[in-house]
Amino acid sequence: VAPPQAMEVRVKILFTSLCHTDVYFWEAKGQTPMFPRIFGHEAGGIVESVGEGVTELAPGDHVLPVFTGECKECPHCKSAESNMCDLLRINTDRGVMIGDGKSRFSIDGKPIYHFVGTSTFSEYTVMHVGCVAKINPEAPLDKVCVLSCGISTGLGASINVAKPPKGSTVAIFGLGAVGLAAAEGARIAGASRIIGVDLNASRFEEARKFGCTEFVNPKDHTKPVQQVLAEMTNGGVDRSVECTGNVNAMIQAFECVHDGWGVAVLVGVPHKDAEFKTHPMNFLNERTLKGTFFGNFKPRTDLPNVVEMYMRKELEVEKFITHSVPFSEINKAFDLMAKGEGIRCIIRMEN
């Protein structure tokens, strides 16, 4: 692992976890398969060295790598409303560093490619400084590492974008890690009813720990889910958060919100050719549809505050972590995810 160049840092990864995105690209379902490549993007570590021009990070700092960045200079970074940095937003096709177009990983002189600028399935990795969030050194990295991707995405979709008022009703579509984090966000915001919607009923009991109060399995109903939810909630839910990426679920999530004030938020990433169809009257009747990327959190500015939510015990992270394996057994983490077992598996770099 080569030294960091200008505006880069080399990080010693202590804990990483497996997210569906890693599996998706490992299976070569992503846009441009690249090989060989080091996956991994949800992690926690310590800065080992810094390249030229890096002033806000120093060796020894505790950090979370992030698959998207914040340069702090572009119009998106300067906008209070966006986190979609022009320079460093997620790029799944790029396997090299942005500065010189080269990889920092090699074996026998041949390059190994990077993944979403993080490549955390490695004891050391090199990242652009804008993709590294400096956090409270007191925070346990084996817990808060899961905040660098999926958990923050779901949490932010609820608290930053859907913003359910106290006492409101929220529907969560998809009860995987991101959906459970969205439910947790709705719970933190003070929603009184949180309805989990999932085709897998075995997820329902676990979801109660994250604030879900009731459940709908579309397979149990002959009516469309949006109609079932409207009947349960006297006309529709106040907020919905869609975390599956399935276009039908997206339509259901939008059409199930109450007219006049309902807000639906899309989080799940659809198939590249997918299209969304709904009647324009759904908008004219004052329903709002929003999308979100990484829960609208700016990585460097906002992630340290999410870690502080955990430190203040406002956000529970432990319940998302269901398994732990040493790095030598990383394939077990892939097996667990393939079987749909657990929520997050922590991979310990040092046994």
Side-chain angles (χ1 to χ4, degrees), residues 96-104:
V96 293
M97 297 304 290
I98 212 164
D100 61 1
K102 293 177 183 169
S103 172
R104 301 288 172 261

Coordinates of all heavy atoms in Angstrom, one line a residue, residues 96-104:
V96 N -9.2 4.1 -9.3 CA -7.9 4.7 -9.0 C -8.1 6.0 -8.2 O -9.2 6.5 -8.0 CB -7.1 5.1 -10.4 CG1 -6.7 3.8 -11.1 CG2 -8.0 5.9 -11.3
M97 N -7.0 6.6 -7.8 CA -7.1 7.8 -7.0 C -7.3 9.0 -7.9 O -6.8 9.0 -9.1 CB -5.8 8.1 -6.2 CG -5.5 7.0 -5.1 SD -6.8 6.8 -3.9 CE -6.8 8.3 -3.0
I98 N -8.1 10.0 -7.4 CA -8.5 11.1 -8.2 C -7.3 12.0 -8.6 O -7.4 12.7 -9.6 CB -9.6 11.8 -7.5 CG1 -10.6 12.5 -8.4 CG2 -9.1 12.8 -6.5 CD1 -11.9 12.9 -7.8
G99 N -6.3 12.1 -7.7 CA -5.2 13.0 -7.9 C -4.3 12.7 -9.1 O -4.1 13.6 -10.0
D100 N -3.9 11.5 -9.3 CA -3.0 11.1 -10.4 C -3.5 10.0 -11.2 O -2.8 9.5 -12.1 CB -1.6 10.8 -9.8 CG -1.6 9.6 -8.9 OD1 -2.7 9.0 -8.7 OD2 -0.6 9.2 -8.3
G101 N -4.7 9.5 -11.0 CA -5.2 8.4 -11.8 C -4.5 7.1 -11.6 O -4.6 6.2 -12.5
K102 N -3.9 6.9 -10.5 CA -3.2 5.7 -10.2 C -3.7 5.0 -9.0 O -4.3 5.7 -8.1 CB -1.7 5.9 -10.1 CG -1.0 6.4 -11.3 CD 0.5 6.6 -11.1 CE 1.1 7.2 -12.4 NZ 2.5 7.7 -12.1
S103 N -3.5 3.7 -8.8 CA -3.9 3.0 -7.6 C -2.8 3.1 -6.6 O -1.6 3.2 -6.9 CB -4.1 1.5 -8.0 OG -4.4 0.8 -6.8
R104 N -3.1 3.0 -5.3 CA -2.1 2.9 -4.2 C -1.9 1.5 -3.8 O -1.1 1.2 -2.9 CB -2.6 3.8 -3.0 CG -2.8 5.2 -3.3 CD -1.6 6.0 -3.6 NE -1.9 7.4 -4.1 CZ -1.9 7.7 -5.3 NH1 -1.5 6.9 -6.3 NH2 -2.2 9.0 -5.7

